[in-house]
Amino acid sequence: MNAPASDFNIRHDWTVDEIVAIHNLPLLDLIAQANATHRRYHDVNDVQKAALLSIKTGGCPEDCSYCPQSAHHREVKLDRVDLLTTDEVLAAAKTAKDAGADRFCMGAAWRSAPKDKRFDSVVEMVRGVREMGMEACVTLGMIDESQAQRLVEAGLTAYNHNLDTGPEFYGDIITTRTYQDRLDTLKAVRGAGLEMCCGGIIGMGESVRDRAGMLQVLAGFDPHPESVPINTLVAVEGTPLAQQQKVDPLDLVRMIATTRIVMPKARVRLSAGRSFLTQEAQILCLVAGANSIFYGEKLLTTNNAGVNEDDALFTALAPR
């Protein structure tokens, strides 16, 4: 394990121009700088496995252009599922733990977390996951301070609420929830003392400057988000972004590396879209500073890399 690093180069005042300049460095220079930063703050052999389960699927009133769970996208073929029972969720968590995951994430397709028995059930799910010895993360839409506090009392590790993209491009992707709405939820999360899991998606038609704008907002938090998932768009038939081209893997490597340099202490999560990557491309993302993957064959409603493929990936990283 690396010795603790000082925070002398932890910054919260990055400009968009500075982040764009980092992103656009010659690729080998960028990866080298990101890898050196990663080694300063992290054990490079520590790659966390996180599992993700959709505990309530479909029917979301938001109009996020990328999301098959939006009720606005009526052509999407998706089976709606009401909130799973606590027993169902905890059984899935045990399966994930037995497969090697040490963080269990639960997502519900709500605009805002409800203030009724459904939220009580989520609190019990969190408590049960923590009693298994796993980290617990939820994404439930917008929450207020009192809800955040209840999740803290249940032992929640982190709350996920992604910004999705930079503030300038955001309105092209979502119109039913403002950027400030997202920031207000993150403020409630921070105020309750929860870890913040917050990142975004590339490949939605945004520019490099938009990607840098998102990282600037994230890096402006003090402290930085403990967890930053970097997703690539999984284009789903029936959504407005169904015809978007797949992201070039090297664009993802650049985004991972830039995130690592700008937020050195965060756990950078290689998230949605990983199923399209070769093993070599995934390893390059890890070299560039990613240190977590979502483990399991599904991410909410989209496919993920298979468990056998991930076992082969970890064998390649640490052959016995």
Side-chain angles (χ1 to χ4, degrees), residues 214-263:
M214 180 186 75
L215 294 182
Q216 183 201 33
V217 175
L218 292 174
F221 286 102
D222 187 1
H224 291 157
E226 288 80 6
S227 174
V228 181
I230 301 297
N231 301 274
T232 54
L233 176 70
V234 178
V236 176
E237 285 298 323
T239 64
L241 298 180
Q243 303 308 312
Q244 282 291 124
Q245 297 296 310
K246 288 186 178 67
V247 170
D248 185 320
L250 293 182
D251 287 346
L252 177 58
V253 172
R254 284 189 175 277
M255 188 65 176
I256 293 283
T258 306
T259 303
R260 171 53 64 215
I261 292 167
V262 172
M263 289 174 278

Side-chain angles (χ1 to χ4, degrees), residues 1 3 92 145:
M1 185 72 170
E145 293 178 4

Side-chain angles (χ1 to χ4, degrees), residues 20-286:
V20 169
I22 291 169
H23 180 282
N24 291 341
L25 286 169
L27 183 61
L28 297 184
D29 290 341
L30 174 61
I31 292 173
Q33 184 175 335
N35 184 260
T37 301
H38 188 55
R39 287 176 177 275
R40 179 174 179 81
Y41 287 91
H42 302 271
D43 176 355
V44 295
N45 293 307
D46 173 24
V47 180
Q48 185 182 59
K49 295 178 183 177
L52 176 60
L53 176 68
S54 179
I55 61 174
K56 184 270 180 184
T57 305
C60 181
E62 304 285 10
D63 67 353
C64 308
S65 298
Y66 55 82
C67 186
Q69 300 203 63
S70 170
H72 294 258
H73 310 326
R74 300 183 185 277
E75 295 180 7
V76 173
K77 296 179 181 178
L78 180 72
D79 292 330
R80 290 184 58 173
V81 178
D82 290 334
L83 185 66
L84 299 178
T85 67
T86 300
D87 286 345
E88 288 173 321
V89 171
L90 296 184
K94 184 179 185 305
T95 298
K97 181 180 181 181
D98 291 345
D102 55 14
R103 184 180 179 106
F104 192 72
C105 307
M106 296 162 275
W110 288 317
R111 170 177 169 78
S112 298
K115 297 183 177 181
D116 55 25
K117 291 183 178 180
R118 291 171 295 173
F119 191 75
D120 296 340
S121 294
V122 173
V123 169
E124 289 305 310
M125 294 171 193
V126 169
R127 186 172 287 115
V129 170
R130 294 294 285 147
E131 287 173 354
M132 291 183 190
M134 303 175 76
E135 294 182 4
C137 179
V138 295
T139 178
L140 312 171
M142 294 183 285
I143 59 171
D144 61 24
E145 293 178 4
S146 64
Q147 290 172 310
Q149 189 57 49
R150 286 194 64 194
L151 292 169
V152 169
E153 292 166 0
L156 187 70
T157 308
Y159 195 90
N160 169 259
H161 197 66
N162 290 336
L163 293 177
D164 290 341
T165 189
E168 299 300 321
F169 188 66
Y170 181 84
D172 291 352
I173 300 299
I174 304 160
T175 67
T176 54
R177 184 190 304 181
T178 69
Y179 217 71
Q180 188 59 50
D181 287 334
R182 293 186 181 268
L183 295 175
D184 288 345
T185 290
L186 294 172
K187 181 179 178 181
V189 168
R190 269 284 187 249
L194 287 166
E195 291 185 7
M196 184 190 299
C197 179
C198 187
I201 308 168
I202 66 171
M204 300 188 293
E206 77 287 343
S207 67
V208 168
R209 192 168 186 84
D210 292 320
R211 296 173 187 177
M214 180 186 75
L215 294 182
Q216 183 201 33
V217 175
L218 292 174
F221 286 102
D222 187 1
H224 291 157
E226 288 80 6
S227 174
V228 181
I230 301 297
N231 301 274
T232 54
L233 176 70
V234 178
V236 176
E237 285 298 323
T239 64
L241 298 180
Q243 303 308 312
Q244 282 291 124
Q245 297 296 310
K246 288 186 178 67
V247 170
D248 185 320
L250 293 182
D251 287 346
L252 177 58
V253 172
R254 284 189 175 277
M255 188 65 176
I256 293 283
T258 306
T259 303
R260 171 53 64 215
I261 292 167
V262 172
M263 289 174 278
K265 297 176 73 174
R267 190 175 285 274
V268 179
R269 301 186 184 276
L270 183 57
S271 302
R274 192 167 61 85
S275 60
F276 302 129
L277 300 178
T278 64
Q279 184 180 99
E280 293 80 7
Q282 293 180 67
I283 290 173
L284 192 54
C285 288
L286 298 175

